Coordinates of all heavy atoms in Angstrom, one line a residue:
M46 N -17.1 14.1 -6.5 CA -16.0 14.2 -5.4 C -14.8 14.9 -6.0 O -14.1 15.6 -5.2 CB -15.7 12.7 -5.0 CG -16.7 12.0 -4.2 SD -17.2 12.9 -2.6 CE -15.8 12.5 -1.7
F47 N -14.5 14.7 -7.2 CA -13.3 15.4 -7.8 C -13.5 16.9 -7.7 O -12.6 17.6 -7.3 CB -13.1 14.9 -9.3 CG -12.0 15.7 -10.0 CD1 -10.7 15.6 -9.6 CD2 -12.4 16.7 -10.8 CE1 -9.7 16.4 -10.2 CE2 -11.5 17.4 -11.5 CZ -10.1 17.3 -11.2
Y48 N -14.6 17.4 -8.2 CA -14.8 18.8 -8.2 C -14.9 19.4 -6.7 O -14.5 20.5 -6.5 CB -16.1 19.1 -8.9 CG -15.9 18.9 -10.4 CD1 -16.6 18.0 -11.1 CD2 -15.1 19.7 -11.0 CE1 -16.4 17.8 -12.4 CE2 -14.8 19.6 -12.5 CZ -15.5 18.5 -13.1 OH -15.4 18.3 -14.5
F49 N -15.4 18.6 -5.8 CA -15.3 19.1 -4.4 C -14.0 19.2 -3.9 O -13.6 20.1 -3.2 CB -16.2 18.1 -3.6 CG -16.3 18.5 -2.0 CD1 -16.9 19.7 -1.6 CD2 -15.6 17.7 -1.1 CE1 -16.9 20.1 -0.3 CE2 -15.6 18.0 0.2 CZ -16.3 19.3 0.6
G50 N -13.1 18.2 -4.2 CA -11.8 18.2 -3.9 C -10.9 19.4 -4.5 O -10.2 20.0 -3.8
L51 N -11.3 19.7 -5.7 CA -10.7 20.7 -6.4 C -11.1 22.1 -5.8 O -10.3 22.9 -5.6 CB -11.1 20.7 -7.9 CG -10.4 21.6 -8.8 CD1 -8.9 21.5 -8.8 CD2 -11.0 21.6 -10.2
F52 N -12.4 22.1 -5.4 CA -12.8 23.4 -4.7 C -12.1 23.6 -3.4 O -11.6 24.6 -3.0 CB -14.3 23.2 -4.4 CG -14.9 24.3 -3.5 CD1 -15.0 25.6 -4.0 CD2 -15.3 24.1 -2.3 CE1 -15.5 26.6 -3.3 CE2 -15.8 25.1 -1.4 CZ -15.9 26.3 -1.9
L53 N -12.0 22.5 -2.6 CA -11.3 22.6 -1.3 C -9.8 23.0 -1.4 O -9.3 23.7 -0.8 CB -11.3 21.3 -0.5 CG -12.8 21.0 0.1 CD1 -12.7 19.6 0.8 CD2 -13.2 22.1 1.1
F54 N -9.2 22.4 -2.5 CA -7.8 22.8 -2.9 C -7.6 24.2 -3.1 O -6.7 24.8 -2.6 CB -7.4 21.9 -4.0 CG -6.0 22.3 -4.5 CD1 -4.9 21.9 -3.8 CD2 -5.8 22.8 -5.7 CE1 -3.6 22.2 -4.2 CE2 -4.6 23.3 -6.2 CZ -3.5 22.9 -5.5
V55 N -8.5 24.8 -3.9 CA -8.4 26.1 -4.4 C -8.7 27.0 -3.1 O -7.8 28.0 -2.9 CB -9.4 26.5 -5.4 CG1 -9.5 28.0 -5.6 CG2 -8.9 25.8 -6.7
V56 N -9.5 26.7 -2.3 CA -9.9 27.5 -1.1 C -8.8 27.4 0.0 O -8.4 28.4 0.4 CB -11.2 27.1 -0.5 CG1 -11.4 27.7 0.9 CG2 -12.4 27.4 -1.4
M57 N -8.3 26.3 0.2 CA -7.4 26.1 1.3 C -5.8 26.4 0.9 O -5.1 26.6 1.8 CB -7.4 24.6 1.8 CG -8.6 24.2 2.5 SD -9.2 25.3 3.9 CE -7.9 24.8 5.0
F58 N -5.6 26.4 -0.4 CA -4.2 26.6 -0.8 C -3.6 27.8 -0.2 O -2.5 27.9 0.2 CB -4.1 26.5 -2.3 CG -2.7 26.6 -2.8 CD1 -1.8 25.6 -2.8 CD2 -2.2 27.9 -3.3 CE1 -0.5 25.8 -3.3 CE2 -1.0 28.1 -3.9 CZ 0.0 27.0 -3.7
F59 N -4.3 28.9 -0.4 CA -3.8 30.2 0.0 C -3.7 30.4 1.5 O -3.0 31.2 2.1 CB -4.5 31.3 -0.6 CG -4.5 31.3 -2.2 CD1 -5.5 31.0 -2.9 CD2 -3.3 31.8 -2.8 CE1 -5.5 30.9 -4.3 CE2 -3.1 31.7 -4.2 CZ -4.3 31.3 -4.9
K60 N -4.6 29.6 2.2 CA -4.6 29.6 3.7 C -3.3 28.9 4.3 O -2.8 29.2 5.3 CB -5.9 29.2 4.3 CG -7.0 30.1 4.0 CD -8.2 29.6 4.7 CE -9.4 30.5 4.3 NZ -9.5 31.8 5.0
V61 N -3.1 27.7 3.6 CA -1.9 26.9 4.1 C -0.6 27.6 3.9 O 0.3 27.4 4.8 CB -2.1 25.5 3.5 CG1 -0.7 24.8 3.8 CG2 -3.3 24.8 3.9
F62 N -0.3 28.1 2.8 CA 1.0 28.6 2.4 C 1.2 30.1 2.8 O 1.8 30.9 2.1 CB 1.3 28.4 1.0 CG 1.3 27.0 0.6 CD1 0.3 26.3 -0.1 CD2 2.5 26.2 1.0 CE1 0.5 25.1 -0.4 CE2 2.6 24.8 0.6 CZ 1.5 24.3 -0.1
K63 N 0.8 30.5 4.0 CA 1.0 31.8 4.5 C 2.5 31.9 5.1 O 3.0 31.0 5.6 CB 0.1 32.2 5.6 CG -1.3 32.6 5.1 CD -2.1 33.0 6.2 CE -3.6 33.4 5.7 NZ -4.4 34.0 6.7
K64 N 3.1 33.0 5.0 CA 4.4 33.3 5.7 C 4.3 33.3 7.1 O 5.3 33.1 7.9 CB 5.0 34.6 5.2 CG 5.4 34.4 3.7 CD 6.7 33.6 3.5 CE 7.1 33.7 2.1 NZ 8.2 32.9 1.8
S65 N 3.2 33.6 7.7 CA 3.1 33.7 9.2 C 3.2 32.3 9.9 O 3.5 32.2 11.2 CB 1.8 34.3 9.6 OG 0.6 33.6 9.1
V66 N 2.9 31.2 9.2 CA 3.0 30.0 9.8 C 4.4 29.4 9.6 O 5.0 29.2 8.6 CB 2.0 29.0 9.0 CG1 2.1 27.6 9.6 CG2 0.6 29.5 9.0
P67 N 5.0 29.1 10.8 CA 6.4 28.6 10.8 C 6.5 27.3 10.1 O 5.6 26.3 10.2 CB 6.8 28.5 12.1 CG 5.5 28.4 13.0 CD 4.6 29.1 12.1
F68 N 7.6 27.0 9.4 CA 7.9 25.8 8.6 C 8.4 24.7 9.6 O 9.2 24.9 10.6 CB 9.0 26.0 7.5 CG 9.2 24.7 6.8 CD1 8.2 24.3 5.8 CD2 10.3 24.0 7.0 CE1 8.5 23.2 5.0 CE2 10.6 22.9 6.3 CZ 9.6 22.4 5.3
G69 N 7.9 23.5 9.5 CA 8.4 22.3 10.3 C 8.3 21.2 9.3 O 7.8 21.1 8.2
A70 N 8.9 20.0 9.9 CA 8.8 18.7 9.1 C 7.5 18.4 8.8 O 7.2 17.6 7.8 CB 9.7 17.7 9.9
S71 N 6.5 18.7 9.7 CA 5.1 18.3 9.4 C 4.4 19.0 8.2 O 3.4 18.4 7.7 CB 4.2 18.7 10.7 OG 4.3 20.1 10.9
W72 N 5.1 19.8 7.5 CA 4.7 20.5 6.3 C 4.6 19.5 5.2 O 4.0 19.6 4.1 CB 5.5 21.7 5.9 CG 5.0 23.0 6.6 CD1 5.4 23.3 7.8 CD2 4.1 23.9 6.1 NE1 4.8 24.6 8.1 CE2 4.0 24.8 7.0 CE3 3.5 24.1 4.9 CZ2 3.3 26.0 6.8 CZ3 2.6 25.1 4.7 CH2 2.6 26.1 5.7
W73 N 5.4 18.4 5.3 CA 5.3 17.3 4.3 C 4.0 16.8 4.1 O 3.6 16.2 3.2 CB 6.5 16.2 4.6 CG 7.8 16.7 4.1 CD1 8.7 17.4 4.9 CD2 8.3 16.6 2.8 NE1 9.8 17.6 4.0 CE2 9.5 17.1 2.8 CE3 7.8 16.1 1.5 CZ2 10.4 17.3 1.6 CZ3 8.6 16.3 0.4 CH2 9.9 16.8 0.5
A74 N 3.1 16.9 5.2 CA 1.9 16.3 5.0 C 0.9 17.0 4.1 O -0.1 16.5 3.6 CB 1.2 16.4 6.5
V75 N 1.3 18.3 3.7 CA 0.5 19.0 2.8 C 0.7 18.5 1.4 O -0.2 18.5 0.6 CB 1.2 20.5 2.8 CG1 0.6 21.3 1.6 CG2 0.8 21.1 4.0
S76 N 1.9 17.8 1.1 CA 2.0 17.2 -0.2 C 1.2 16.1 -0.6 O 0.9 15.9 -1.8 CB 3.6 16.9 -0.4 OG 4.0 15.8 0.4
F77 N 0.9 15.3 0.4 CA 0.0 14.0 0.1 C -1.3 14.3 -0.4 O -1.7 13.7 -1.4 CB 0.0 13.2 1.3 CG 1.4 12.7 1.8 CD1 1.9 13.2 3.0 CD2 2.1 11.9 1.0 CE1 3.2 12.8 3.5 CE2 3.4 11.4 1.4 CZ 3.9 11.9 2.6
P78 N -2.0 15.2 0.1 CA -3.4 15.5 -0.5 C -3.3 16.3 -1.8 O -4.0 15.8 -2.7 CB -4.0 16.4 0.5 CG -3.3 16.5 1.8 CD -2.0 15.9 1.4
I79 N -2.2 16.9 -2.1 CA -2.1 17.6 -3.4 C -1.7 16.4 -4.4 O -2.1 16.5 -5.6 CB -1.0 18.6 -3.4 CG1 -1.4 19.8 -2.5 CG2 -0.7 19.2 -4.7 CD1 -0.4 20.8 -2.2
A80 N -0.9 15.5 -4.0 CA -0.5 14.4 -4.9 C -1.8 13.5 -5.2 O -1.9 13.1 -6.4 CB 0.6 13.6 -4.2
A81 N -2.6 13.3 -4.1 CA -3.8 12.6 -4.4 C -4.8 13.2 -5.5 O -5.3 12.6 -6.2 CB -4.6 12.3 -3.0
L82 N -4.9 14.5 -5.2 CA -5.6 15.4 -6.1 C -5.1 15.3 -7.6 O -5.8 15.2 -8.5 CB -5.8 16.8 -5.6 CG -6.7 17.7 -6.5 CD1 -8.1 17.2 -6.5 CD2 -6.7 19.1 -6.0
S83 N -3.9 15.4 -7.6 CA -3.1 15.3 -8.9 C -3.5 14.1 -9.6 O -3.8 14.0 -10.9 CB -1.6 15.6 -8.8 OG -1.0 15.4 -10.0
N84 N -3.3 13.0 -8.9 CA -3.6 11.6 -9.4 C -5.0 11.4 -9.9 O -5.3 11.0 -10.9 CB -3.2 10.6 -8.3 CG -3.3 9.1 -9.0 OD1 -3.1 9.0 -10.2 ND2 -3.3 8.2 -8.1
A85 N -5.9 11.9 -9.0 CA -7.4 11.9 -9.4 C -7.6 12.7 -10.6 O -8.4 12.4 -11.5 CB -8.1 12.3 -8.2
A86 N -7.0 13.9 -10.7 CA -7.2 14.7 -11.8 C -6.8 14.2 -13.1 O -7.5 14.3 -14.1 CB -6.6 16.1 -11.5
L87 N -5.5 13.6 -13.0 CA -5.0 12.9 -14.3 C -5.8 11.8 -14.7 O -6.1 11.6 -15.9 CB -3.6 12.5 -14.0 CG -2.5 13.6 -14.0 CD1 -1.3 13.1 -13.4 CD2 -2.4 14.3 -15.2
K88 N -6.3 11.0 -13.8 CA -7.1 9.8 -14.2 C -8.5 10.3 -14.7 O -9.1 9.7 -15.6 CB -7.3 8.9 -13.0 CG -6.0 8.1 -12.6 CD -6.3 7.0 -11.6 CE -5.1 6.3 -11.3 NZ -5.2 5.1 -10.5
Y89 N -9.1 11.2 -14.0 CA -10.4 11.6 -14.5 C -10.3 12.4 -15.8 O -11.2 12.2 -16.7 CB -10.9 12.7 -13.5 CG -12.3 13.2 -13.8 CD1 -13.4 12.3 -13.9 CD2 -12.7 14.5 -13.7 CE1 -14.8 12.8 -14.1 CE2 -13.9 15.0 -14.0 CZ -14.9 14.1 -14.2 OH -16.2 14.5 -14.5
A90 N -9.2 13.1 -16.1 CA -9.0 13.8 -17.3 C -8.9 12.8 -18.5 O -9.4 13.0 -19.6 CB -7.8 14.7 -17.3
M91 N -8.1 11.7 -18.2 CA -8.0 10.7 -19.3 C -9.3 9.8 -19.5 O -9.5 9.4 -20.6 CB -6.8 9.7 -18.9 CG -5.6 10.4 -18.9 SD -5.1 11.0 -20.5 CE -4.2 12.3 -20.1
F92 N -10.2 9.8 -18.5 CA -11.4 9.0 -18.6 C -12.4 9.9 -19.4 O -13.1 9.3 -20.2 CB -11.9 8.7 -17.2 CG -13.3 7.9 -17.3 CD1 -13.3 6.6 -17.6 CD2 -14.4 8.6 -17.0 CE1 -14.4 6.0 -17.7 CE2 -15.6 8.0 -17.1 CZ -15.6 6.6 -17.3
V93 N -12.4 11.1 -19.2 CA -13.4 12.1 -19.8 C -13.0 12.5 -21.1 O -13.7 12.8 -22.0 CB -13.7 13.3 -18.8 CG1 -14.7 14.3 -19.5 CG2 -14.2 12.7 -17.6
H94 N -11.6 12.6 -21.3 CA -11.0 13.1 -22.7 C -11.5 14.5 -22.8 O -11.7 14.9 -23.9 CB -11.5 12.2 -23.8 CG -11.2 10.8 -23.8 ND1 -9.8 10.3 -23.8 CD2 -11.8 9.7 -23.7 CE1 -9.8 9.1 -23.6 NE2 -10.9 8.7 -23.6
S95 N -11.2 15.3 -21.9 CA -11.5 16.8 -21.9 C -10.2 17.6 -21.8 O -9.4 17.3 -21.0 CB -12.5 17.2 -20.8 OG -12.5 18.5 -20.6
W96 N -10.0 18.4 -22.9 CA -8.8 19.1 -22.8 C -8.6 20.1 -21.8 O -7.6 20.4 -21.2 CB -8.7 20.0 -24.1 CG -8.4 19.0 -25.3 CD1 -9.3 18.7 -26.4 CD2 -7.2 18.3 -25.7 NE1 -8.7 17.8 -27.2 CE2 -7.4 17.7 -26.8 CE3 -6.0 18.3 -25.0 CZ2 -6.4 16.8 -27.3 CZ3 -5.0 17.5 -25.5 CH2 -5.2 16.8 -26.6
L97 N -9.8 20.7 -21.3 CA -9.9 21.5 -20.0 C -9.4 20.8 -18.8 O -8.5 21.3 -18.1 CB -11.3 22.1 -19.9 CG -11.3 23.2 -18.7 CD1 -10.5 24.3 -18.8 CD2 -12.8 23.5 -18.4
L98 N -9.9 19.7 -18.6 CA -9.5 18.8 -17.5 C -8.1 18.4 -17.5 O -7.3 18.3 -16.5 CB -10.4 17.6 -17.3 CG -11.9 17.9 -16.8 CD1 -12.6 16.7 -16.8 CD2 -11.7 18.6 -15.4
I99 N -7.5 18.1 -18.8 CA -6.2 17.7 -18.9 C -5.2 18.9 -18.5 O -4.3 18.8 -17.9 CB -5.9 17.2 -20.4 CG1 -6.6 15.9 -20.6 CG2 -4.4 17.1 -20.7 CD1 -6.5 15.4 -22.1
D100 N -5.6 20.1 -18.9 CA -5.0 21.3 -18.5 C -5.0 21.5 -17.1 O -3.9 22.0 -16.5 CB -5.4 22.5 -19.3 CG -5.2 22.5 -20.8 OD1 -4.4 21.8 -21.3 OD2 -5.8 23.2 -21.6
I101 N -6.1 21.4 -16.5 CA -6.3 21.5 -15.0 C -5.3 20.5 -14.3 O -4.7 20.8 -13.3 CB -7.7 21.5 -14.5 CG1 -8.5 22.6 -15.0 CG2 -7.8 21.3 -13.0 CD1 -10.0 22.6 -14.8
A102 N -5.5 19.2 -14.7 CA -4.6 18.1 -14.2 C -3.1 18.5 -14.3 O -2.3 18.3 -13.4 CB -4.9 16.8 -14.8
A103 N -2.7 19.0 -15.5 CA -1.3 19.4 -15.8 C -0.9 20.5 -14.8 O 0.2 20.5 -14.3 CB -1.1 19.8 -17.2
A104 N -1.7 21.5 -14.6 CA -1.4 22.5 -13.7 C -1.3 22.1 -12.2 O -0.4 22.5 -11.5 CB -2.6 23.7 -13.9
I105 N -2.2 21.3 -11.8 CA -2.0 20.6 -10.5 C -0.9 19.9 -10.3 O -0.1 20.0 -9.3 CB -3.3 19.8 -10.1 CG1 -4.5 20.7 -10.1 CG2 -3.1 19.1 -8.7 CD1 -5.8 19.9 -10.0
L106 N -0.3 19.1 -11.3 CA 0.8 18.2 -11.3 C 2.0 19.3 -11.2 O 3.0 19.0 -10.5 CB 1.0 17.4 -12.5 CG 2.1 16.5 -12.6 CD1 2.2 15.6 -11.3 CD2 2.2 15.6 -13.9
A107 N 2.0 20.3 -12.0 CA 3.0 21.4 -12.0 C 3.2 21.9 -10.6 O 4.3 22.1 -10.0 CB 3.0 22.3 -13.0
L108 N 2.0 22.3 -10.0 CA 2.0 22.9 -8.7 C 2.5 21.9 -7.7 O 3.3 22.3 -6.7 CB 0.6 23.4 -8.4 CG 0.4 24.1 -7.1 CD1 1.2 25.5 -7.2 CD2 -1.0 24.4 -6.8
L109 N 2.1 20.7 -7.8 CA 2.7 19.6 -6.8 C 4.2 19.6 -7.0 O 4.9 19.5 -5.9 CB 2.1 18.3 -7.2 CG 2.7 17.1 -6.4 CD1 2.5 17.3 -5.0 CD2 2.1 15.8 -7.0
S110 N 4.7 19.6 -8.1 CA 6.1 19.6 -8.4 C 6.8 20.7 -7.7 O 7.8 20.6 -7.0 CB 6.5 19.5 -9.9 OG 6.0 18.4 -10.5
I111 N 6.3 21.9 -7.8 CA 6.9 23.1 -7.1 C 6.7 23.1 -5.7 O 7.6 23.3 -5.0 CB 6.1 24.4 -7.7 CG1 6.3 24.6 -9.1 CG2 6.4 25.5 -6.9 CD1 5.5 25.7 -9.7
V112 N 5.7 22.5 -5.2 CA 5.4 22.3 -3.6 C 6.5 21.3 -3.1 O 7.2 21.5 -2.3 CB 4.1 21.9 -3.3 CG1 4.0 21.4 -1.9 CG2 3.0 23.0 -3.6
L113 N 6.7 20.3 -3.9 CA 7.7 19.3 -3.4 C 9.2 19.9 -3.3 O 9.9 19.7 -2.5 CB 7.6 18.0 -4.3 CG 6.5 17.2 -4.1 CD1 6.4 16.1 -5.1 CD2 6.4 16.5 -2.7
I114 N 9.5 20.7 -4.4 CA 10.8 21.2 -4.5 C 11.0 22.2 -3.3 O 12.0 22.3 -2.7 CB 11.0 21.9 -5.7 CG1 11.2 20.9 -6.9 CG2 12.2 22.8 -5.9 CD1 11.1 21.6 -8.4
V115 N 9.9 23.1 -3.2 CA 10.0 24.0 -2.0 C 10.2 23.4 -0.6 O 11.0 23.7 0.2 CB 8.8 25.1 -2.0 CG1 8.7 25.8 -0.7 CG2 8.9 25.9 -3.2
L116 N 9.4 22.2 -0.5 CA 9.4 21.5 0.8 C 10.9 20.9 0.9 O 11.5 20.9 2.1 CB 8.4 20.4 0.9 CG 6.9 20.8 1.0 CD1 5.9 19.8 1.0 CD2 6.8 21.6 2.4
F117 N 11.5 20.4 -0.2 CA 12.7 19.8 0.0 C 13.9 20.8 0.3 O 14.6 20.5 1.2 CB 13.0 19.1 -1.4 CG 14.2 18.4 -1.5 CD1 14.5 17.1 -0.7 CD2 15.3 18.9 -2.2 CE1 15.7 16.5 -0.8 CE2 16.6 18.2 -2.3 CZ 16.7 17.1 -1.5
I118 N 13.7 21.9 -0.4 CA 14.7 22.9 -0.1 C 14.6 23.5 1.3 O 15.6 23.6 2.1 CB 14.6 24.0 -1.2 CG1 15.0 23.6 -2.5 CG2 15.4 25.3 -0.7 CD1 14.7 24.6 -3.6
R119 N 13.5 23.7 1.8 CA 13.3 24.2 3.1 C 13.5 23.1 4.2 O 14.2 23.5 5.2 CB 11.8 24.7 3.4 CG 11.6 25.8 2.5 CD 10.1 26.5 2.8 NE 10.3 27.3 4.1 CZ 9.3 28.0 4.6 NH1 8.1 27.9 4.0 NH2 9.4 28.6 5.7
T120 N 13.4 21.9 3.9 CA 13.9 20.8 4.9 C 15.3 20.7 4.9 O 15.9 20.6 6.1 CB 13.2 19.5 4.4 OG1 11.7 19.6 4.4 CG2 13.6 18.4 5.3
L121 N 16.0 20.8 3.8 CA 17.4 20.7 3.8 C 18.0 21.9 4.5 O 19.0 21.9 5.2 CB 18.0 20.8 2.3 CG 17.9 19.5 1.6 CD1 18.5 19.6 0.2 CD2 18.6 18.3 2.3
N122 N 17.4 23.2 4.3 CA 17.8 24.3 5.0 C 17.7 24.1 6.6 O 18.5 24.5 7.3 CB 17.0 25.5 4.6 CG 17.4 26.8 5.2 OD1 18.6 27.0 5.5 ND2 16.6 27.8 5.1
M123 N 16.6 23.5 7.1 CA 16.6 23.3 8.4 C 17.5 22.2 8.9 O 18.0 22.3 10.1 CB 15.1 22.8 8.7 CG 14.1 23.8 8.8 SD 12.3 23.0 9.2 CE 12.7 22.6 11.0
L124 N 17.8 21.3 8.0 CA 18.7 20.2 8.4 C 20.1 20.8 8.5 O 20.9 20.5 9.6 CB 18.7 19.2 7.4 CG 19.7 18.0 7.6 CD1 19.4 17.2 8.8 CD2 19.8 17.1 6.3
F125 N 20.6 21.7 7.6 CA 21.9 22.3 7.7 C 22.0 23.3 8.8 O 23.2 23.6 9.2 CB 22.3 22.8 6.3 CG 22.5 21.6 5.3 CD1 22.0 21.8 4.0 CD2 23.3 20.5 5.6 CE1 22.1 20.8 3.1 CE2 23.5 19.4 4.7 CZ 22.9 19.7 3.5
N126 N 21.0 23.9 9.1 CA 21.0 24.9 10.2 C 20.9 24.3 11.5 O 20.9 25.0 12.6 CB 19.9 25.9 10.1 CG 20.1 26.9 8.9 OD1 21.3 27.1 8.5 ND2 19.0 27.4 8.4
G127 N 20.7 23.0 11.7 CA 20.5 22.2 12.9 C 19.4 22.3 13.6 O 19.2 21.9 14.9
K128 N 18.2 22.6 12.9 CA 17.0 22.8 13.5 C 16.0 21.6 13.3 O 15.0 21.4 14.0 CB 16.2 24.0 13.0 CG 16.9 25.3 13.3 CD 16.2 26.5 12.8 CE 17.0 27.8 13.0 NZ 16.3 29.0 12.4
L129 N 16.3 20.8 12.3 CA 15.5 19.7 11.9 C 15.5 18.5 13.0 O 14.4 18.0 13.3 CB 15.8 19.2 10.5 CG 14.9 18.1 10.0 CD1 13.5 18.6 9.8 CD2 15.4 17.5 8.7
L130 N 16.6 18.2 13.4 CA 16.8 17.0 14.2 C 17.1 17.3 15.7 O 17.6 16.6 16.4 CB 17.9 16.0 13.7 CG 17.7 15.5 12.3 CD1 18.9 14.8 11.8 CD2 16.5 14.7 12.1
K131 N 16.7 18.5 16.0 CA 17.0 19.1 17.4 C 16.0 18.4 18.3 O 14.8 18.3 18.1 CB 16.8 20.6 17.5 CG 17.3 21.2 18.8 CD 17.5 22.6 18.8 CE 16.3 23.4 18.2 NZ 16.4 24.9 18.4
G132 N 16.5 17.8 19.5 CA 15.6 17.2 20.4 C 14.9 17.9 21.4 O 14.9 19.0 21.5

């Protein structure tokens, strides 16, 4: 299951983060599957004791951190422009 999740992550990552898709508060939903994959990768790497898997898990965790920072900055940008809480 881990490798299937990793495969889906690699395939879908470039489709999700296209510039043509407008940003909205719902983009925060993207972070949850990445966080779950990161958690699973870290646990699996520690269970198997493989340096390759530890490197992959660290890369996914770093990518998750970048995604969260970008989402936070873009959300603050929407908030200060008055577009986030518009009814």
Side-chain angles (χ1 to χ4, degrees):
M46 289 299 283
F47 169 72
Y48 290 110
F49 179 69
L51 188 61
F52 170 74
L53 286 179
F54 171 74
V55 170
V56 170
M57 297 301 291
F58 180 77
F59 297 105
K60 294 187 182 281
V61 170
F62 292 106
K63 283 186 177 179
K64 290 285 185 185
S65 63
V66 180
F68 181 78
S71 60
W72 274 85
W73 279 95
V75 170
S76 67
F77 298 114
I79 298 173
L82 179 63
S83 174
N84 189 23
L87 289 168
K88 287 186 178 195
Y89 184 56
M91 291 301 150
F92 180 75
V93 175
H94 300 292
S95 169
W96 289 107
L97 178 63
L98 287 175
I99 291 172
D100 290 344
I101 290 172
I105 294 171
L106 182 60
L108 186 64
L109 171 65
S110 300
I111 292 168
V112 166
L113 289 174
I114 290 168
V115 168
L116 288 173
F117 181 70
I118 290 171
R119 291 187 79 179
T120 302
L121 283 180
N122 189 20
M123 281 183 65
L124 179 66
F125 292 134
N126 287 337
K128 297 178 184 176
L129 183 65
L130 301 174
K131 188 167 50 172

